[in-house]
Amino acid sequence: VTGANGGIGKYYVEALQAAGAARIYAGARNPSSLSELAATDPQRIIPIQLDIIDEQSVSDAAAKCQDVNLLINIKSARAEIEVNYFGTLAMCRAFAPILKANGGGAIVNMLTILAKVNLPSNGSYSASKAAALSMTQGIRAELAAQNTLVVAVMPGAVDAGMSKDFPPPKVAPKEVARAALQAVIERVEDVYPGEQATEMAAQLLQDPKAVEKWLATMLPM
């Protein structure tokens, strides 16, 4: 789990615990920030130093985590393109051979419904996630032959971190993690946790231009 010390990262760790994961590697730039989380289950939660925009850090993590069969990519929107696109791509490349060696496994990329339509007030963030979604689709095709499932998780506003000032409805981080892991179990490639994402996904299928115009009205005055 990359970015395991973030607003939603710990919920993925907790969901993996509940699902019976034998070992959970929790990645963060500063592993000491994970000490409290690791203390809840020291036999299974293993903090590792990981900066996904540092190629050496990614390579070191891959070398240490040779038994991984599920990679969950989460990171905040700082240095948006570097983290959300290049960092996620680096993790997928580094761990694809490991997943293949372990039977295929799965990659879960934490995206957003804004990967499918731009919210101008968060324009560069939306663009970085759109790039990550396109990349996710490409990786999905490339890794299909090795039986690696690639899941795109696209919630609306999540009740954590950068969405704290957004109005409701907001989906609970715990529900996002649960839905993502259920998608892995059921081998669902695209998942839209929460009421907001489900409705927007349907609207985008019906009238994408209307959704674009609606979000364009949300620019700050």
Side-chain angles (χ1 to χ4, degrees):
V1 180
T2 68
N5 59 337
I8 197 169
K10 69 175 184 177
Y11 292 98
Y12 271 98
V13 172
E14 290 171 359
L16 288 166
Q17 286 178 278
R23 184 174 292 112
I24 305 164
Y25 295 105
R29 289 178 178 175
N30 180 8
S32 64
S33 66
L34 298 164
S35 57
E36 185 175 338
L37 180 62
T40 64
D41 194 349
Q43 297 303 311
R44 290 197 292 166
I45 302 175
I46 302 170
I48 60 168
Q49 196 284 324
L50 177 60
D51 180 351
I52 67 171
I53 61 173
D54 181 330
E55 290 186 10
Q56 188 59 54
S57 179
V58 170
S59 296
D60 291 347
K64 292 175 184 175
C65 306
Q66 290 291 308
D67 56 344
V68 165
N69 56 23
L70 172 60
L71 170 65
I72 301 177
N73 284 311
I74 311 169
K75 211 60 180 76
S76 67
R78 294 171 305 182
E80 290 155 339
I81 288 291
E82 284 290 337
V83 170
N84 292 334
Y85 180 78
F86 290 112
T88 300
L89 177 60
M91 289 296 296
C92 291
R93 284 176 169 169
F95 278 86
I98 296 171
L99 295 170
K100 181 179 180 180
N102 292 330
I107 296 172
V108 173
N109 286 340
M110 185 64 201
L111 305 176
T112 167
I113 193 64
L114 298 179
K116 292 198 162 187
V117 61
N118 194 286
L119 175 63
S121 58
N122 278 30
S124 62
Y125 171 76
S126 302
S128 72
K129 290 295 190 178
L133 174 59
S134 182
M135 177 263 292
T136 296
Q137 293 167 340
I139 288 173
R140 181 181 291 150
E142 290 180 20
L143 300 187
Q146 69 175 48
N147 197 36
T148 297
L149 173 70
V150 182
V151 179
V153 184
M154 292 174 278
V158 179
D159 195 11
M162 64 177 291
S163 297
K164 65 181 184 300
D165 296 324
F166 275 52
K170 290 190 278 191
V171 61
K174 184 176 182 178
E175 172 57 22
V176 176
R178 187 208 64 77
L181 295 186
Q182 191 62 35
V184 172
I185 293 169
E186 297 178 0
R187 300 194 68 81
V188 174
E189 293 180 343
D190 297 321
V191 59
Y192 303 94
E195 172 189 349
Q196 185 183 61
T198 301
E199 291 181 356
M200 283 186 67
Q203 291 164 357
L204 283 165
L205 285 175
Q206 184 178 28
D207 192 345
K209 182 57 69 173
V211 179
E212 177 190 341
K213 295 299 184 183
W214 169 58
L215 290 179
T217 67
M218 298 183 184
L219 277 169
M221 300 300 290

